[in-house]
Amino acid sequence: ADEAASTRESRRAASAEVAAADEAASTRESPAALADAASAASTSESPAAPADAAPAVEAASTRNSPGKGMPRVHAAFYLWYGNPDVDGRWMHWNHKVLPHWDKSVDAEHPKFDWQPPEEPHSPYMPARGTYSSRDSATLHDQFRDLSEAGVDSAMCSWWGRKDWEGKRDDAFSGANTDELMPTVLEAAQAAGVGVSFHIEPYEGRSAQTFLDDLRYIHKAYGSHPAVYRERGLPVFWMYDVSVQHSGKEVAAWRKALDSVRGTPLDGIFLCLWVGETVGGMNDASFLEKGGFDGGYTYFAAAGFTKGSDPSTWAAATRALRAKGKMFVPSVGPGYDDTRIRPWNAHNVKARKHGAYYDQMWSAAVEAHPQAISVTSYNEWGEGTQIEGVTPYTSPKGLVHEDYRPEDPDFYIRKTRQWADRFRAHSGHSREEL
């Protein structure tokens, strides 16, 4: 069960979408009204976006500066993709089918590795093809997407220092994400988008190794202008550091984080919020005892954890704000990981042509949090991506999903629409903390 709980789940807004967002922002609407307005705007026939994208980049650059009353939007961004042309081998696109912990269930599902480029591990085919995260041109294009989507920071999946020995990612692909950070920061700076650090559960990770990571990250990247900052501090998302996964280590995390407060190694540290009580300790207690600045829900499948249930978000926001902490609900356009977890079909969340995304966003906006995160920009194996897709059927007849009748950039535009509405509707600023 722990393995399941630790899994992931046209361009700029055209004139019709902007008008709808402005009209909706004039009053505080109910979640249903917000979702209806979003659906109407996203399906309106719109003129082509201007050829000159400079204003979007300029706006993103402004967002990456601390400002009063400006809520933030973050997006999970993955760097573990590779192909033979760039990397000399396939990485992640050839993900294996994962086992189930119940041997009787596991026996029902054949095990094999997916075979890109004809049959990658995703239920969708990327519009950019089975790309490499090491390719500079691809990264620049992707960060332009994030800018146009109104995203303030890319939560870059980071699997340990480049010289770390051990497991690098869940697919055991060996993807060395730290090696890519200089190119990532260059692409982010060019697009005016910030970079925050999504610290993944690399083999051997602990509170103590994270202190070593902090020293390394601050030294290697801390002075780069593309590093996203809250209150002048870089932001770290601690995946699988939660009451469920790390309850017994809460004192170690508190000791580690206390040791950097007020020093050059300080940061904004957010743990995973799963909505559970373990050993008499709940998420809020774990967060406070561990010395974290807030929590985020991550999962794009509503209800996969109690923390990812949108009906709990308003109460969680109020509870953490009262303690001077941040609650960051995570929204996603859908969820489908059945190519790599064929036994997990009960957690699939159909996109419904954007309606599912609208529902999650409207609930998050109405909770009035200090920030919202998107899961994800490009987690292709779990079908949570907002990155563009293309219709595709493999030579063997395997049909991939797509966004039709909407165009490939539908979710980039919809994210921008909701990001703008979130900022307009928020009654709180992070300066309240």
Side-chain angles (χ1 to χ4, degrees), residues 5 21 57 60 154 166 213 285 321-322 346 378 425:
V57 174
D213 296 336
S285 179
R321 181 175 284 118
H346 58 285
N378 64 338
H425 277 77

Side-chain angles (χ1 to χ4, degrees), residues 6 15 20 25 27 91 94 102 121 133 243 294 330 336 361 378 395 421:
S6 66
S15 58
T27 57
M91 288 190 287
N94 60 341
D102 184 322
H121 72 311
S133 298
V243 66
S330 302
D336 184 356
W361 263 106
N378 64 338
R421 188 164 298 160

Side-chain angles (χ1 to χ4, degrees), residues 89-261:
R89 60 193 176 98
W90 289 108
M91 288 190 287
H92 225 82
W93 300 115
N94 60 341
H95 202 296
K96 65 182 178 181
V97 174
L98 294 171
H100 193 277
W101 53 91
D102 184 322
K103 291 184 178 180
S104 62
V105 174
D106 188 56
E108 299 174 4
H109 303 285
K111 303 299 181 294
F112 57 90
D113 294 349
W114 286 98
Q115 298 296 315
E118 290 84 6
E119 292 189 349
H121 72 311
S122 175
Y124 298 85
M125 175 59 76
R128 294 185 171 98
T130 47
Y131 57 77
S132 168
S133 298
R134 192 176 292 271
D135 181 68
S136 177
T138 296
L139 285 171
H140 278 75
D141 286 344
Q142 291 176 322
F143 273 90
R144 280 191 287 270
D145 276 356
L146 290 169
S147 174
E148 292 161 8
V151 170
D152 296 298
S153 94
M155 306 159 58
C156 289
S157 176
W158 191 83
W159 287 87
R161 302 180 296 279
K162 59 187 175 184
D163 58 353
W164 183 260
E165 297 292 335
K167 184 186 78 169
R168 286 291 184 186
D169 65 50
D170 289 339
F172 294 87
S173 71
N176 193 328
T177 55
D178 183 48
E179 287 184 343
L180 309 186
M181 291 308 299
T183 309
V184 168
L185 289 164
E186 176 186 308
Q189 183 179 11
V193 176
V195 168
S196 55
F197 296 87
H198 204 176
I199 307 300
E200 301 277 12
Y202 58 80
E203 187 175 12
R205 187 191 65 177
S206 67
Q208 185 58 49
T209 66
F210 178 60
L211 284 180
D212 295 333
D213 296 336
L214 271 181
R215 296 184 187 97
Y216 172 82
I217 289 171
H218 276 275
K219 181 178 180 180
Y221 313 122
S223 63
H224 198 287
V227 171
Y228 176 81
R229 295 177 182 274
E230 286 278 353
R231 304 193 295 273
L233 300 173
V235 176
F236 300 88
W237 313 81
M238 310 302 299
Y239 187 73
D240 272 5
V241 176
S242 73
V243 66
Q244 180 183 14
H245 304 91
S246 316
K248 294 180 180 179
E249 291 82 46
V250 65
W253 281 104
R254 181 57 179 260
K255 182 179 179 181
L257 297 184
D258 280 355
S259 73
V260 303
R261 296 302 188 185

Side-chain angles (χ1 to χ4, degrees), residues 398-417:
L398 182 62
V399 178
H400 287 62
E401 298 178 50
D402 57 65
Y403 302 159
R404 290 179 297 181
E406 292 80 21
D407 61 66
D409 292 328
F410 174 69
Y411 287 99
I412 298 295
R413 297 197 313 276
K414 184 171 280 290
T415 302
R416 178 55 177 263
Q417 174 193 335

